[in-house]
């Protein structure tokens, strides 16, 4: 019997789990992107040098290879491509137009405003001069973001209009469509919410909310340095987030897919769903969620794209204390070693994945593309988890030559 073919968009380190899982599920696995050296490709049956953001090229590839489904895993830029190709070929997908709204900060903020969700004052621009004219309408501090980048690349916070030009140049350098937004800063109360959920036939049947951790003194304090589980927010707030997410799913007619959350709770208790990605989270979020709940959302993502039955997926409450941590360096340089405290290694480490080896040149951590490696960690209590996540550089050190 001929194996069903699945086309996975991307083979970067963050996408290796999806390639391995697709093989494990018994599919014939094809990967594509414009980086032949990406590690995921070696686990695939075939690889093609086609950019995951080139919708028409991916569509032609999918037709030529007669694939049975297209998967986007842990990548915002390829989420729209997966929806576009799947819609054209009649594969299971949420509407392309809806995925495009979720993948574009400009369109997403407009959608939130029109449908009476909590949303900070924001506006999209292609021209810095137009932004200069209107900046007085905003309250500082203001976030400046590319509308279409991921991994917090090109994101800045400014406290005066004098900082606008540099921030816009930075944002536009990461924008494929050369567009940016200005957005009033939402001061968060407690940890920022993160995590993933899963929609089956338009219903949010599973979600595992987590905490997102940042480094206030980092070179870019808006890039997450890790995610921990379970979420510190109270249950009544999590239920409100669930209800607001379901309202969004209904309005956008989302079908069966993974969702990735970025949520802020302000001092008044108002919920802001800052981002809702039509994809699984990066930074090992699906892996720490599986440790806490036993639910393998990577497998469900592939099954959803291939039109398989998902009726056994149900809500599971997380147990235990787990996190991921992004190994990173504030400056670029040549990697000598990654040092780890021995007691920490013995008591907390479950897994380590290094993307660089000694002697390699490593980038500064200005965005998620500056990740040197990832740790998966366990803890004996919530207190230990939050304490250690707040001072990880005491336990893990990147040494440059």
């Amino acid at each position: 019997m001929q194996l069903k073919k699945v086309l996975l968009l991307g083979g970067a380190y963050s996408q290796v789990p999806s390639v391995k899982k697709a093989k494990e599920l018994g599919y014939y696995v094809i990967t594509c992107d414009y980086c032949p050296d990406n590690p995921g490709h070696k686990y695939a049956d075939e690889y093609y040098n086609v950019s995951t953001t080139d919708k028409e090229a991916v569509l032609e590839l999918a037709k030529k290879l007669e694939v049975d489904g297209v998967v986007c895993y842990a990548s915002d830029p390829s989420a729209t491509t997966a929806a576009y190709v799947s819609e054209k070929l009649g594969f299971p997908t949420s509407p392309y137009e809806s995925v495009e709204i979720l993948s574009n900060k400009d369109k997403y903020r407009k959608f939130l405003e029109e449908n009476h969700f909590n949303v900070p004052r924001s506006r999209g621009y292609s021209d810095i001069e137009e932004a200069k004219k209107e900046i007085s309408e905003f309250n500082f501090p203001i976030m400046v973001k590319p509308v279409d980048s991921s991994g917090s690349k090109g994101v800045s916070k400014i406290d005066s209009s004098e900082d606008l030009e540099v921030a816009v140049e930075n944002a536009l350098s990461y924008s494929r469509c050369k567009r940016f937004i200005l957005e009033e800063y939402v001061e968060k109360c407690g940890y920022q919410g993160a995590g993933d959920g899963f929609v089956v036939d338009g219903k949010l049947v599973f979600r595992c909310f987590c905490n997102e951790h940042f480094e206030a003194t980092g070179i870019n304090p808006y890039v997450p340095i890790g995610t921990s589980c379970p979420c510190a927010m109270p249950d009544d707030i999590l239920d409100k987030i669930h209800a607001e997410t379901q309202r969004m799913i209904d309005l956008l007619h989302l079908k069966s897919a993974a969702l990735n959350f970025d949520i802020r709770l302000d001092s008044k208790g108002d919920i802001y769903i800052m981002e809702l990605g039509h994809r699984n989270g990066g930074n090992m979020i699906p892996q720490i969620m599986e440790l806490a709940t036993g639910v393998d959302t990577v497998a469900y993502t592939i099954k959803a794209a291939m039109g398989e039955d998902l009726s056994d997926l149900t809500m599971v409450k997380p147990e235990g204390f787990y996190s991921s941590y992004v190994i990173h360096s504030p400056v670029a340089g040549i990697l000598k070693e990654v040092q780890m405290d021995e007691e920490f290694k013995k008591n907390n480490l479950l897994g380590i994945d290094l993307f660089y080896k000694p002697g390699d040149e490593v980038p500064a951590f200005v965005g998620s593309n500056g990740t040197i490696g990832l740790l998966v960690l366990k803890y004996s209590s919530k207190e230990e988890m939050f304490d250690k996540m707040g001072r990880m550089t005491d336990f893990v050190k990147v040494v440059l030559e």
Side-chain angles (χ1 to χ4, degrees), residues 42 62 67 72 99 126 134 172 208 211 217 298 343 363 383 397:
K42 68 183 179 192
V67 302
C72 159
V99 178
S126 300
E134 296 184 356
L172 290 178
C208 182
N211 314 288
T217 56
V298 186
E343 279 297 301
E383 292 72 24
K397 289 180 171 44

Side-chain angles (χ1 to χ4, degrees), residues 145-189:
K145 304 176 180 180
V147 301
D148 57 350
S149 84
S150 57
S152 304
K153 296 185 285 290
V155 174
S156 316
K157 184 168 84 166
I158 62 171
D159 294 301
S160 80
S161 54
E162 291 167 14
D163 304 323
L164 180 65
E165 202 148 332
V166 171
V168 168
E169 280 176 19
N170 181 39
L172 290 178
S173 71
Y174 289 100
S175 173
R176 294 183 305 283
C177 70
K178 299 302 170 191
R179 194 165 166 81
F180 64 95
I181 63 165
L182 301 186
E183 173 181 288
E184 289 184 1
Y185 182 69
V186 178
E187 192 70 58
K188 69 181 186 292
C189 181

Side-chain angles (χ1 to χ4, degrees), residues 265-388:
L265 182 68
D266 72 8
S267 57
K268 293 183 286 187
D270 290 331
I271 295 156
Y272 290 79
I273 303 177
M274 302 299 291
E275 308 285 347
L276 189 71
H278 195 265
R279 57 165 179 90
N280 305 77
N283 287 351
M284 297 283 192
I285 287 175
Q287 287 68 39
I288 63 166
M289 280 172 26
E290 186 177 359
L291 286 167
T293 66
V295 176
D296 184 352
T297 53
V298 186
Y300 281 106
T301 295
I302 294 157
K303 288 177 181 180
M306 300 301 282
E308 286 197 31
D309 179 32
L310 309 174
S311 60
D312 62 336
L313 179 56
T314 55
M315 188 63 205
V316 179
K317 192 169 181 179
E319 291 182 6
F321 306 94
Y322 300 95
S323 81
S324 63
Y325 175 71
V326 178
I327 303 169
H328 60 282
S329 170
V331 294
I334 305 298
L335 181 66
K336 185 177 180 185
E337 63 176 328
V338 175
Q339 293 178 348
M340 204 177 305
D341 178 86
E342 285 303 319
E343 279 297 301
F344 175 81
K345 198 173 181 177
K346 186 175 82 174
N347 296 326
N348 300 101
L349 185 66
L350 288 178
I352 180 169
D353 200 356
L354 284 175
F355 306 161
Y356 295 86
K357 60 184 186 301
D360 287 348
E361 191 170 340
V362 297
F365 193 59
V366 293
S368 60
N369 54 338
T371 300
I372 293 170
L374 287 162
L375 302 180
V376 176
L377 304 161
K378 62 171 177 145
Y379 308 90
S380 59
S381 67
K382 179 175 66 177
E383 292 72 24
E384 184 195 6
M385 179 174 79
F386 287 133
D387 172 53
K388 287 185 174 173

Side-chain angles (χ1 to χ4, degrees), residues 9 15 34 51-55 72-83 96 99 103 148-151 153 174 176 278-279:
L9 304 184
Q15 290 150 336
Y34 62 80
S51 169
T52 61
T53 58
D54 188 336
K55 297 178 182 66
C72 159
Y73 178 82
S75 167
D76 270 326
S78 58
T80 50
T81 302
Y96 167 68
V99 178
S103 302
D148 57 350
S149 84
S150 57
K153 296 185 285 290
Y174 289 100
R176 294 183 305 283
H278 195 265
R279 57 165 179 90

